[in-house]
Amino acid sequence: MSLRLAVLNVGCRLVGKPRLRYVKRPGSQRKDFDLLGRALSGRANGLTERVLAGVPPLTVTEPPEGGAGTILYFHGGGFIAGSPLSHRALIRSLVRRSGARVVAPDYRLGPEHRLPAAQDDARAAWDVLIAQGTRAGEMVLAGDSAGGGLALSLMAELGAEGVRPAACVAFCPWTDLTGSGASMVENAKRDPLLPAERLPDLIGFAVAEGADLADPRLSPLFADFTAPAPTLIQHSQTEIVRDDALRMAEVLQRAGGEVVVQAWPNPPHTWQIFGDALPESRDAIEKAAQFIKARLSLARSD
């Protein structure tokens, strides 16, 4: 464990987890997320960034040479917080390391817009890119936490239509809104950031009243996948959604998918958001970038 990660874990336990345990409104979490994004992102250093208006708005980040392939990236935040700004450090690092452009939808959040609004926006973003001429086979679906779940549920939806992206990358994906994974209990104390007891409150903010939490669109763990794309899943062994990642890998493997699972022993949930500021996040993003480059290269050769 790096010194920076050790300090981060202490900070998460002393500040982050208590704040998440007692926060009452999503608005404060949104401000925290965006402040973190501004603090970590630094300078663009040659990257091109622009926002395409629409529903949802799309933030496009490209490397100087224009990008070899497209990553459709869905930010995390429990469906109630987060934005392309909050995840700018991760996105910029992923662009630099993969050489691909990243398109990040600013999808609608609860409680103002409850699920499945986010899933509808994820599909709308895909459709916009396809309409602009991006080929499905040259696109990678990716995301972290709730956004990882969005990427996976979109892959299931596309697969049912006979459409297959080049790959999927899920950082610490939240795939089971029912909270049935054993790690919800086993890691409740070990997780340095996420308070497991707040899951019902989060669901209350994010999901439409009366919705089925096992609906495959909301919880891709329960989806039927047809010819899933090669998928990389990263997770922390101490996070409460560890089993969301591990069980998701098993589902994809049973569906005939190629799945690579990468685990780190003790970083906080979605530590990849720290971009290049943390050795462990640099390592995780570099591994994801290599996976993406390999899959996009295969897609171009087909």
Side-chain angles (χ1 to χ4, degrees):
M1 182 194 308
S2 70
L3 177 59
R4 288 189 179 186
L5 178 57
V7 172
L8 174 62
N9 278 338
V10 170
C12 286
R13 289 194 180 278
L14 294 180
V15 180
K17 194 167 187 175
R19 184 162 177 78
L20 291 176
R21 180 172 282 134
Y22 298 113
V23 67
K24 296 187 181 299
R25 296 182 180 179
S28 60
Q29 288 177 293
R30 293 175 190 174
K31 292 178 182 178
D32 289 348
F33 256 105
D34 285 349
L35 284 172
L36 181 65
R38 291 182 188 278
L40 292 172
S41 55
R43 297 180 179 180
N45 291 333
L47 300 181
T48 301
E49 297 173 325
R50 66 186 189 277
V51 178
L52 304 180
V55 182
L58 304 175
T59 296
V60 181
T61 306
E62 292 180 309
E65 63 274 14
T70 297
I71 302 169
L72 181 56
Y73 192 89
F74 303 103
H75 68 79
F79 298 115
I80 64 172
S83 69
L85 171 59
S86 68
H87 285 59
R88 193 162 61 184
L90 187 162
I91 289 169
R92 286 178 174 177
S93 181
L94 190 57
V95 170
R96 292 189 182 104
R97 294 173 185 277
S98 70
R101 70 166 178 164
V102 169
V103 179
D106 194 3
Y107 60 85
R108 290 171 292 171
L109 302 173
E112 298 90 343
H113 305 282
R114 298 173 186 268
L115 301 185
Q119 284 78 11
D120 293 340
D121 285 356
R123 180 56 192 260
W126 170 275
D127 289 343
V128 165
L129 293 177
I130 293 296
Q132 290 177 348
T134 304
R135 292 177 54 243
E138 296 178 350
M139 205 170 340
V140 174
L141 302 178
D144 63 283
S145 192
L150 280 178
L152 288 158
S153 65
L154 178 56
M155 182 167 68
E157 182 177 338
L158 294 171
E161 300 169 10
V163 178
R164 193 172 189 251
C168 182
V169 173
F171 299 131
C172 308
W174 186 24
T175 65
D176 176 15
L177 272 61
T178 72
S180 65
S183 57
M184 279 285 176
V185 176
E186 292 174 2
N187 282 347
K189 292 183 179 179
R190 298 175 68 203
D191 191 312
L193 181 61
L194 299 180
E197 68 273 17
R198 290 303 305 272
L199 178 62
D201 297 322
L202 177 58
I203 294 298
F205 283 131
V207 183
E209 186 176 355
D212 179 7
L213 299 182
D215 182 333
R217 284 196 85 200
L218 309 187
S219 296
L221 181 68
F222 306 113
D224 292 324
F225 287 85
T226 302
T231 299
L232 171 67
I233 298 177
Q234 295 181 350
H235 72 92
S236 169
Q237 292 175 345
T238 57
E239 62 180 331
I240 58 175
V241 293
R242 176 200 67 199
D243 287 357
D244 286 45
L246 295 177
R247 292 183 297 159
M248 189 74 249
E250 293 173 355
V251 167
L252 293 172
Q253 288 167 341
R254 287 197 297 269
E258 172 195 348
V259 185
V260 177
V261 178
Q262 298 173 345
W264 277 255
N266 51 17
H269 178 65
T270 61
W271 73 97
Q272 298 89 344
I273 195 175
F274 288 87
D276 292 337
L278 190 71
E280 288 80 3
S281 56
R282 287 199 302 270
D283 181 41
I285 295 171
E286 177 62 26
K287 285 181 169 63
Q290 292 302 319
F291 179 86
I292 289 168
K293 286 196 291 187
R295 296 311 181 277
L296 287 175
S297 178
L298 286 173
R300 288 192 296 271
S301 65
D302 288 343

